[in-house]
Amino acid sequence: MNAVKKGRAFAMAMAGVVLAAVVGVSHAGKIPPRRLVEVVDLSTPDISPDGRLVAYRAERASVERNTYGSVWYVQEMDGSAPPRRVGDGGVPIRDSAGGSFPATAVWSPDGRFIYYRALLDGRVDVWRAAVDGSGSEAVTFDPADVREFSLADDGRTLKYSTGATRDEVMRAERSEYDRGIHIDETVPVGAGLFRSSFVGGRPATQRYIGIWFARGPLLGSVPERWREIDLETGARRELPQDDPAQERKPGSVDSAALPVIMFEARDPESGRTAVITRTDGGDRTKRSNLSELAILPGEDGQDPVKCGAEPCTGKAVTSVQWRPGGQEVLFTVTDRAAGESQAIFRWNIATGEVRPVVAARGFINGGRERSSVCGISVSALACVAAEADSPPRLERVDIATGQRRVLFEPNAALARDLEAAISSRLLKWKDKDGKEFTGQLFTGRAGHEGKRPLFINYYHCTGFLRGGVGDEWPLASLAEAGISTLCINAPPLVADPVVRFDGALDAVEAAIELLAAEDAVDPKRVGMGGLSFGSEVALWTAMRSDLLSAVSVTSPSVTPLYYLMNSAKGDMFTSGLRAIWGLGTPEETPAQWKRLSPTYNVDTIRAPVLFQMPEEEYMYALDYIMPLMRGQRADLYVFPNEPHRKFQPRHMVAAYGRNFDWFRFWLQGVEDDDPEKVVQYARWREMRSAVGAPESQQAVARHD
């Protein structure tokens, strides 16, 4: 490495820590970690058929109840009145990794009602809410949870799909428990086997279903059953398998003759489909984030049309939707070089003309994902806007002029306090090979003279940066407390894992060099944390360099134990392991295992590591966590009933708070004088002595 020599003693990496003060330092910040957990998120907005109203769901964590509350609102698109509460949105429905599924509403053709799925009282039904706020009610009342639904016959009929009933699932769970659970390729070995994770709002038994590690409830593979309800009479009937409700849905365009499809949208008027396809064709050796936009022929038999204008050529087109009328599509471009900022364009299919609609400093779509879409009418968009340093809000965007107007700002107080507490800037730099990177840097505005410590999070820096991917590290809170925080955007992930990890390490090193050259940070006080790929990069950086003074991870890296516990899955697992990491069995590819796995590189990890792991995954990493713990270089916490991403609010507050304490301790020498944390700090002080911190660093500052 060109700036930091491998093999330097960890004590040297820790040298030079300057305490903010020795005793009695107070930190009464505007942005405590809990505020970042309690951010209000907004769902994909949906505009009424007449374009006059917009419906959306607001979702917020309740730490006291350790759950989430959500409310459906309807509001005038002209902003002439505040939002009107129309219905309870229930507990967010989550995927098996812990992420919240987007909540969408379906408007009745007459604009009097919205229909939506909601998890309330332990059941997922379709609900109907009157947009005047006069009331809401469940419509389906099905013994099974509703998976999908649609309105038909001009809004007179509701069609919906289900799987096994809730009683059938619970009986199957109990039967397995009584008879003993047979271990096969569908069983998540290493997680609890009986009702261990939350599915549908309750602890439920899980099985692998779908690709890679995707999970679903027991009996989740039962074929869908479709039913319909006459909304005027209440009559119900089963639908035959060939009913149009079960025809091809978005996401199922045959990709055999096309590059890999990333996104598609069907125009209900013409039957044509707009598709976004990868320019790399899915080839991992040529991985790119660039894409192409095209229109496939529909019922009108028109020829396929490809967008060839500059805004949709050689860009990362991340979503597309049809403007009512069928002659234009609006598409979103996400610019990684500009720090994951987004712009929306409109493409006239007949003329080929592409015009800009709006450009934003951050996200302007329908949620937290790049591919989210705004609500759309003939004349306006309803978009969820968010920047790295500014939390979500709802905006109206005029399609013709691009004029923006805030309709709803539930996080206004937090936005004001963030502006007062931290500064943010887009950082651009190159590594030693000239490869370009971008990241978002947060710096506290008050006090903290001299070079500051630095915390780095590596993966994606999209939308409002509360805690990086996975929401684990309170970036603004750390910055306000005097530790600058940098979120680095990873480039498209290439096939060779060594190239992938070394490229990340080069990016981290170059960023530290840049900020150190600006006298902005102290290169000897750098911490790092990440989830999933970000966890792998953080441990790789600790293994392959002495850049880091402290590390925090929440996901496992590949280990022989990881291989053993998942090998029952067969080819679906082993083929993925070979494709992503180039690994066969430990006997087949021993050199690659020794190169990649922390299990064989424990002695090279000199920085202390905080492991805050989900119960479903922590066991995969024990063959390197336990040796690090025995060497007093690691501290391990496991969060029950959590999948890949933690989502229980109390767990998130705990993880945020402990990460805050961890990096203040190692990078600033600061301890919180909360009496409940006495044991925590006693353990960390023993670790600090074990890793050989200089005597000058044994004094400990305290804060409130």
Side-chain angles (χ1 to χ4, degrees):
M1 305 184 72
N2 59 352
V4 181
K5 302 287 186 179
K6 178 81 170 116
R8 202 187 322 169
F10 175 71
M12 292 297 293
M14 288 289 292
V17 172
V18 179
L19 298 179
V22 177
V23 177
V25 174
S26 174
H27 176 68
K30 292 178 177 291
I31 317 295
R34 176 167 172 165
R35 290 193 73 183
L36 299 176
V37 174
E38 295 176 332
V39 168
V40 177
D41 280 304
L42 302 175
S43 72
T44 301
D46 292 281
I47 298 179
S48 61
D50 63 6
R52 188 176 60 86
L53 302 172
V54 58
Y56 53 90
R57 193 183 76 174
E59 167 192 328
R60 188 183 187 189
S62 169
V63 176
E64 288 78 11
R65 295 185 294 116
N66 197 33
T67 187
Y68 291 78
S70 68
V71 174
W72 278 98
Y73 292 101
V74 168
Q75 187 173 7
E76 276 74 16
M77 279 290 289
D78 62 8
S80 59
R84 180 169 54 253
R85 176 175 178 149
V86 298
D88 189 342
V91 179
I93 302 171
R94 297 187 178 275
D95 60 30
S96 61
S100 178
F101 281 118
T104 56
V106 175
W107 283 85
S108 62
D110 60 11
R112 295 174 54 218
F113 301 98
I114 59 169
Y115 293 80
Y116 53 88
R117 280 199 315 156
L119 171 56
L120 285 162
D121 299 323
R123 52 188 298 141
V124 180
D125 283 304
V126 176
W127 284 68
R128 175 173 60 191
V131 302
D132 62 4
S134 59
S136 61
E137 61 181 349
V139 177
T140 48
F141 285 109
D142 200 279
D145 288 342
V146 175
R147 294 178 177 178
E148 297 180 71
F149 76 95
S150 63
L151 291 180
D153 303 323
D154 292 327
R156 294 190 301 273
T157 303
L158 175 77
K159 299 184 178 185
Y160 68 96
S161 68
T162 66
T165 68
R166 288 178 292 276
D167 285 345
E168 288 170 342
V169 172
M170 294 180 75
R171 284 197 300 269
E173 290 175 345
R174 190 69 217 185
S175 175
E176 276 200 338
Y177 181 89
D178 292 338
R179 293 181 292 107
I181 295 172
H182 178 248
I183 304 300
D184 60 18
E185 70 279 3
T186 69
V187 177
V189 176
L193 297 180
F194 177 73
R195 296 179 181 172
S196 61
S197 293
F198 286 96
V199 176
R202 71 173 184 89
T205 298
Q206 291 195 102
R207 289 291 182 267
Y208 290 127
I209 183 170
I211 62 171
W212 198 231
F213 283 94
R215 307 180 192 208
L218 194 64
L219 304 187
S221 59
V222 168
E224 286 186 330
R225 294 177 290 191
W226 282 83
R227 300 179 174 90
E228 71 174 17
I229 301 174
D230 186 311
L231 295 173
E232 294 180 354
T233 66
R236 300 168 182 250
R237 73 180 184 96
E238 297 282 334
L239 292 177
Q241 289 297 313
D242 59 353
D243 187 87
Q246 302 177 59
E247 291 180 356
R248 182 185 61 78
K249 303 175 185 65
S252 57
V253 167
D254 182 9
S255 60
L258 293 167
V260 175
I261 292 174
M262 299 170 61
F263 194 96
E264 64 175 287
R266 187 173 183 271
D267 177 22
E269 298 180 28
S270 67
R272 291 178 294 179
T273 300
V275 295
I276 301 170
T277 56
R278 304 186 65 95
T279 58
D280 59 25
D283 185 345
R284 293 185 62 88
T285 64
K286 302 175 182 177
R287 184 55 58 93
S288 167
N289 64 346
L290 305 183
S291 51
E292 295 179 340
L293 174 62
I295 307 297
L296 303 183
E299 299 164 0
D300 53 13
Q302 295 184 15
D303 293 332
V305 181
K306 180 179 177 180
C307 183
E310 190 274 336
C312 48
T313 303
K315 302 291 192 302
V317 182
T318 49
S319 66
V320 62
Q321 57 193 137
W322 289 85
R323 187 179 185 182
Q327 295 305 310
E328 285 191 338
V329 295
L330 274 69
F331 62 92
T332 300
V333 173
T334 304
D335 188 350
R336 177 175 162 269
E340 299 282 352
S341 64
Q342 292 187 326
I344 299 175
F345 299 85
R346 55 189 175 106
W347 170 31
N348 186 300
I349 302 166
T351 66
E353 183 180 30
V354 173
R355 292 184 177 182
V357 175
V358 65
R361 185 168 59 89
F363 268 17
I364 184 161
N365 54 24
R368 297 188 66 179
E369 300 298 324
R370 291 185 183 90
S371 58
S372 300
V373 296
C374 301
I376 189 169
S377 70
V378 173
S379 60
L381 297 170
C383 304
V384 180
E387 294 79 36
D389 56 354
S390 185
R393 60 197 177 276
L394 182 69
E395 294 189 6
R396 180 192 189 278
V397 179
D398 187 282
I399 293 177
T401 67
Q403 183 178 3
R404 300 168 63 172
R405 175 177 181 173
V406 174
L407 295 178
F408 182 48
E409 193 170 11
N411 301 296
L414 176 61
R416 289 192 298 270
D417 288 344
L418 284 164
E419 172 65 23
I422 65 169
S423 64
S424 172
R425 65 170 166 134
L426 175 64
L427 198 68
K428 296 184 179 183
W429 70 99
K430 295 181 180 179
D431 68 8
K432 59 182 172 41
D433 297 321
K435 191 184 306 181
E436 296 182 344
F437 290 89
T438 64
Q440 294 286 345
L441 180 70
F442 289 171
T443 304
R445 293 190 184 278
H448 317 296
E449 298 299 328
K451 296 182 180 180
R452 304 182 186 214
L454 176 67
F455 170 78
I456 296 174
N457 178 253
Y458 187 95
Y459 206 170
H460 299 305
C461 313
T462 55
F464 175 52
L465 298 183
R466 55 201 89 184
V469 174
D471 294 338
E472 290 269 344
W473 299 269
L475 301 181
S477 305
L478 287 166
E480 185 185 23
I483 300 174
S484 294
T485 56
L486 175 64
C487 179
I488 299 177
N489 288 302
L493 303 185
V494 297
D496 188 322
V498 175
V499 174
R500 194 161 66 229
F501 294 138
D502 277 347
L505 175 55
D506 289 344
V508 169
E509 182 181 11
I512 295 170
E513 290 179 350
L514 172 64
L515 293 172
E518 295 178 354
D519 284 335
V521 304
D522 181 351
K524 296 176 182 177
R525 293 189 289 162
V526 178
M528 190 170 182
L531 173 136
S532 197
F533 177 58
S535 283
E536 294 182 281
V537 168
L539 277 184
W540 184 267
T541 304
M543 285 162 43
R544 301 288 176 172
S545 78
D546 56 0
L547 289 165
L548 305 180
S549 297
V551 182
S552 166
V553 298
T554 186
S555 304
S557 296
V558 289
T559 69
L561 183 58
Y562 170 85
Y563 179 87
L564 176 67
M565 296 178 72
N566 291 290
S567 57
K569 293 180 68 177
D571 182 66
M572 185 173 67
F573 170 71
T574 56
S575 61
L577 195 70
R578 192 175 295 277
I580 298 171
W581 290 282
L583 293 168
T585 69
E587 294 75 26
E588 289 173 333
T589 55
Q592 186 76 333
W593 277 101
K594 290 178 180 178
R595 186 179 298 116
L596 295 180
S597 178
T599 303
Y600 301 102
N601 295 276
V602 168
D603 290 342
T604 70
I605 302 174
R606 290 175 295 279
V609 186
L610 174 62
F611 292 95
Q612 300 205 86
M613 308 287 281
E615 186 179 28
E616 289 187 2
E617 297 182 344
Y618 85 100
M619 292 185 69
Y620 302 152
L622 288 180
D623 47 2
Y624 60 86
I625 293 179
M626 298 307 290
L628 287 170
M629 290 176 65
R630 289 197 303 268
Q632 291 189 294
R633 284 175 287 156
D635 205 10
L636 171 64
Y637 290 81
V638 177
F639 290 83
N641 296 328
E642 292 286 11
H644 190 53
R645 299 174 57 158
K646 304 178 190 71
F647 64 86
Q648 296 180 56
R650 290 178 190 167
H651 287 170
M652 294 179 68
V653 168
Y656 267 139
R658 192 169 293 116
N659 275 320
F660 182 82
D661 291 345
W662 176 258
F663 288 107
R664 294 215 72 192
F665 178 86
W666 290 102
L667 303 184
Q668 294 177 306
V670 172
E671 292 185 19
D672 189 337
D673 58 8
D674 184 341
E676 293 187 0
K677 298 178 180 179
V678 169
V679 174
Q680 164 184 285
Y681 287 114
R683 187 166 56 249
W684 293 354
R685 285 195 295 271
E686 289 178 3
M687 293 173 63
R688 184 171 56 195
S689 296
V691 300
E695 287 293 325
S696 62
Q697 296 171 36
Q698 301 306 310
V700 178
R702 308 183 70 84
H703 70 91
D704 295 328

